[in-house]
Amino acid sequence: MSAVAEASTHLEPLITDLGLILMTAGIAVLLFKKLKQPLVLGYLIAGFLAGNNFDFFPTIRDTKSVEVWAEIGIIFLLFSLGLEFSFKKLIKVGGTASITAITQISFMIFLGYFVGQLLDWSKMDSLFLGVILSISSTTIILKSFDELGIKVQRFVGNVIGALIVQDIIAILLMVLLSTIAVSENFSGGELLQSILKLVFFLVLWFLSGIFIIPTVLKKAKHLLTDEMLLIISIALCLLMVILAANVGFSPALGAFIMGSIIAETTQAEHIEHLVKPVKDLFGAVFFVSVGMLIDPHALVEHAVPVLILSIATILGQSISSTIGCLLSGQPLKESVQTGMSLSQIGEFSFIIATLGITLQVTSSFLYPIVVAVSAMTTFSTPYMIKFSGPFSDFLSRKLPRKWLKRIERYSASTQAIKTVNNWKTVINAYLTQVVIHSIIIVAVILLSSRFILPLVKEYPFGAAIGALITLIFLAPFLWALSLRRVAVAEVSILLEERKSRGPMAMLFLFRILIAIVYIGLLLNIFFSPKTALVAFVVAIILYFLFQKRLNHQYHKIENHFLSNLNDREISKAKRSRSDLSPWDGHMAVFDIAAESNIAGETLKKLQLREQLGINIASIKRGEITIHIPDANERIFPGDEINVIGTDAQVQEFKKYLDQHEIEATPEIIEPDIVLRQIELKNHAFIGKSIKESKLREKTKGLVVGIEKRGKRQLNPESNVVLEKDDILWIVGDKKRLSDLVHD
C-alpha cells in the first residue's frame, strides 16, 4: 500500500502541473488568436502568469515535473524542425543562404559578447549571450510569413535557406558551448575533438539512417496505418535521442538528426502532418514552461539591458543579414527584405539559455532577460517583414546612384560567375570519398572490436572468423576508398598535363595507403602482431584479386543509398521545376480549394495570363502531372498548380484564388429530404410521362419507384406514362412534397 501511495504522490503533481500548463496554453491560444499576435508570445505570457511569481493565479507545484515536460517539448520541436529542414537542403541552399547566415551569426556573436562585456557581465554570460542573439526564430518567421500571406514571394527562399544554415550551426554551437562550459576553455584540443566527434557521428547517423529507414518504410508501406506510422516515427525519434545522449550529445541534437533523416523519405510530408499535433502540444508545454521561469523582479532590475539587447538584436540582425545577402550577390531589395525578416530570436535561443542553466555556467538573470528580448523582437517581427519592401524602395531612392549601380553590377556579375577549377573539383571529390568511407570503416571497426571480438575470442579460430566477417563487410568500402574512380572527366584533363601527373599519383597512393592502414588496424585488434602481419598480406592479396566483385557490390550498396536519398526529390521534381523562370520571375505552387468557383473552368476561359500576367507551367492531379497545359485544360478541386510570375503577379494570383473561394454562409438552411408515397387520384399528372409532369422540378427530388396495377418498378424511366391509381415513391424536399400531396 505504501508503494502505491508513494507512486500516487509522485504522479499527482506531474499530472496536475501538465493540466495547468495545457489550460494556460489553451487560454493563451484563444486570446492571442483573437488579438492576431504570435502564439509563442501568448505561451510565454501565460507561463509567466502561471509561474510561482504570482500567488493570485494557480501555480505549478513541482518544478521538476515542468522541466520533464519542457525537455519533451524541446525534443519534439527539434524533431519537427528536422522534418522541415533536412541535411540535403543544407547542401542545396547554396552560397546565398550560407554567406547570409554565417555573416549574421559571426557578427551577432561578436556584438552580443561585446554588449555583455559593456554591461559588465562575466565572459561566460557574454559568450552565451552572443550565441543566443545570433539565431533567428524559424517558428516565428514562418508563422509571420503565413499570416501576412507572402510565402510565395521570391526573398522568402533566401530567408528559409538562411534559417536552415542557422539551425545546423546552432546545433554545432550547442556542442561547442557544452565543451567550453565543461573545460572552461575557449580554444584548444578539446574543441577540435568535439567538432571531429560531432562530424563523425552526424555523417555516420545520416548515412546509416538514409540507407535503412526509407527502405523499411517503403517495404512496409502497405501495412502502415496513420497510427502505426506516427508511433514508428516517434519511436525512431526517441531512439536517436537515446543514441545521442549515450555518446555525450544533447537529446535535442538526436531529435533534429532523426527528423532530418526522415525528411529524405517519400513519406516525410505525411509524417510531418501526423507529428504536427504532437509537436504543437509539447511545443506549447515548452514555451509555457519557459514563461514560468521569468522572474519579474529580474526584469525590473534589468529593464535597461533588455531594451539595449532588443535594439541590438533588431538592428544587428537586420544589418548583418542584409550585408551577408548583398555579399552573396542578391539585389538590394531582396537583401533588405531578407535582413529585416531575420530580426528576432526564438526557440533555439531558449534552448541555448536552458543549456547554460543546466550546465550551471550562466547567471540567473540571463534567462528572463533572453525571454523578454525574445518577446519584444517577436512583437516587432511582423512589422519588420511588412515594412521591409517599402523601406528597400526608400533606400533605392535615397542611396547615391553610384552605390546602386555598383550593387546592381556586383549582383549581376556574381550571378553570372561559374568557376570551373578542375583541381578544386578533384580535391573536393577525393576529400568527400576519404572522409565518408573513413567514417564508415572506423565505425565498423569500433563496433566489431566492442561486440564481435568479445563473443569469438574464447573459441578456436574465433578471432580469425570474427576478423573475416568484419573484413567481408568492410571490403566494398575499402575498395571504394582506395580504388573507386571519382571526378573522372576532371582527372582525365589533369592527367593530360605533365605537371599534374605527379600530384595526381600522390593522391591515388594516399587513398591506397589509408585503406591499408585501416586493414592493418582491424587485424591488429583481432590478432597478435605476428599473426596480424601474415593475415594482412593474405588480406591485401585477396583484396586485389576480387576487385571486380567488390566494385559490383559497392555500386549495389551506393545505388540503394542514392535511390533512398533521391526518392523524395525525384517525386517533387516531377511536380515542380524552379529553374524555368528568367529575370525577376520565379515558380510558386498553389492548391485549388474544393470550394473554389474557378474549378471546372478551362484555362482559355479564365484568361489568367491576360488578366494577371502569370503562366501556368504544370498541373499536378493525383499521381499525374500535366506539363505546359493547353488552353482547353480544366482546373479541378485539389489540383496543385505551378505558376511562373514576378512577386507582384504571384501575389495578385493568390488574392485572385482567395476571392474565388466560396465561403459557406450560415444563413443557408439545408432542405429536409424525405421519401414520400403519393397515390394518383385526380392529379393533373395523369396521362403525362414522368418527364412531362416535371415532378423533378416541382419537388426538387427524384421518382425512385412506381407501382402500376400491383407491379413495382424501381427507378422508372422518364418516358413512363402516369395513370390513375398509380403509386409514386418520390425522394425530395419535405415541404414541396407536402404541397404536392395537398394539390
Side-chain angles (χ1 to χ4, degrees), residues 414-646:
T414 305
Q415 300 293 335
I417 290 174
K418 290 185 179 179
T419 305
V420 179
N421 189 319
N422 292 325
W423 267 114
K424 180 181 175 183
T425 304
V426 170
I427 290 172
N428 284 341
Y430 272 53
L431 279 176
T432 303
Q433 194 80 353
V434 169
V435 170
I436 289 176
H437 292 98
S438 291
I439 288 173
I440 295 171
I441 292 164
V442 170
V444 172
I445 292 174
L446 292 175
L447 290 171
S448 181
S449 65
R450 184 168 181 179
F451 297 106
I452 295 179
L453 182 59
L455 291 175
V456 301
K457 66 180 180 180
E458 302 297 331
Y459 299 97
F461 304 107
I465 293 170
L468 181 63
I469 292 170
T470 310
L471 269 176
I472 289 172
F473 188 86
L474 283 179
F477 303 106
L478 288 166
W479 172 85
L481 173 63
S482 58
L483 299 175
R484 182 172 182 260
R485 299 175 69 192
V486 293
V488 178
E490 289 79 5
V491 168
S492 300
I493 293 170
L494 290 173
L495 287 176
E496 291 176 3
E497 303 172 9
R498 185 181 296 273
K499 63 180 181 180
S500 299
R501 291 173 188 171
M504 286 302 305
M506 291 299 295
L507 285 175
F508 179 70
L509 290 173
F510 175 69
R511 289 172 58 192
I512 291 178
L513 180 62
I514 292 177
I516 291 172
V517 168
Y518 288 140
I519 295 172
L521 175 64
L522 171 66
L523 295 174
N524 192 54
I525 291 172
F526 279 86
F527 303 110
S528 64
K530 289 183 180 179
T531 311
L533 181 61
V534 176
F536 175 75
V537 174
V538 174
I540 294 296
I541 293 169
L542 293 174
Y543 176 64
F544 282 101
L545 284 176
F546 291 98
Q547 278 193 56
K548 287 187 178 180
R549 187 178 291 273
L550 294 175
N551 180 3
H552 173 74
Q553 188 62 30
Y554 175 78
H555 279 97
K556 189 176 178 182
I557 295 169
E558 184 183 57
N559 290 337
H560 179 80
F561 175 83
L562 292 175
S563 173
N564 284 350
L565 185 65
N566 295 324
D567 263 357
R568 187 182 181 191
E569 182 184 26
I570 290 168
S571 65
K572 278 192 170 184
K574 291 176 181 176
R575 292 184 286 163
S576 176
R577 288 283 304 279
S578 59
D579 59 335
L580 301 180
S581 52
W583 308 307
D584 292 333
H586 68 108
M587 185 84 76
V589 181
F590 294 93
D591 293 317
I592 301 300
E595 303 82 9
S596 177
N597 60 17
I598 70 169
E601 302 290 353
T602 64
L603 297 180
K604 183 177 181 180
K605 184 174 181 180
L606 293 174
Q607 293 190 319
L608 297 175
R609 180 164 46 187
E610 291 77 7
Q611 291 185 41
L612 305 172
I614 57 103
N615 267 313
I616 294 185
S618 65
I619 302 172
K620 183 178 185 296
R621 188 170 297 147
E623 298 299 318
I624 300 170
T625 300
I626 304 165
H627 293 289
I628 319 298
D630 61 31
N632 295 318
E633 189 61 56
R634 294 182 184 274
I635 299 288
F636 289 104
D639 280 356
E640 184 182 280
I641 60 174
N642 285 284
V643 304
I644 297 174
T646 63

Side-chain angles (χ1 to χ4, degrees), residues 667-715:
E667 292 76 24
I668 295 175
I669 300 171
E670 292 290 335
D672 188 4
I673 304 298
V674 296
L675 173 65
R676 273 289 166 83
Q677 174 186 336
I678 298 175
E679 187 175 354
L680 300 181
K681 291 293 185 182
N682 299 314
H683 285 79
F685 309 136
I686 295 172
K688 297 180 180 178
S689 68
I690 293 175
K691 183 178 181 180
E692 291 169 344
S693 67
K694 296 189 177 180
L695 279 168
R696 182 185 181 94
E697 290 79 3
K698 291 178 180 179
T699 62
K700 293 290 181 183
L702 300 169
V703 179
V704 294
I706 187 169
E707 190 173 331
K708 281 180 173 288
R709 295 182 291 275
K711 291 184 179 181
R712 296 175 176 176
Q713 184 180 354
L714 184 67
N715 295 329

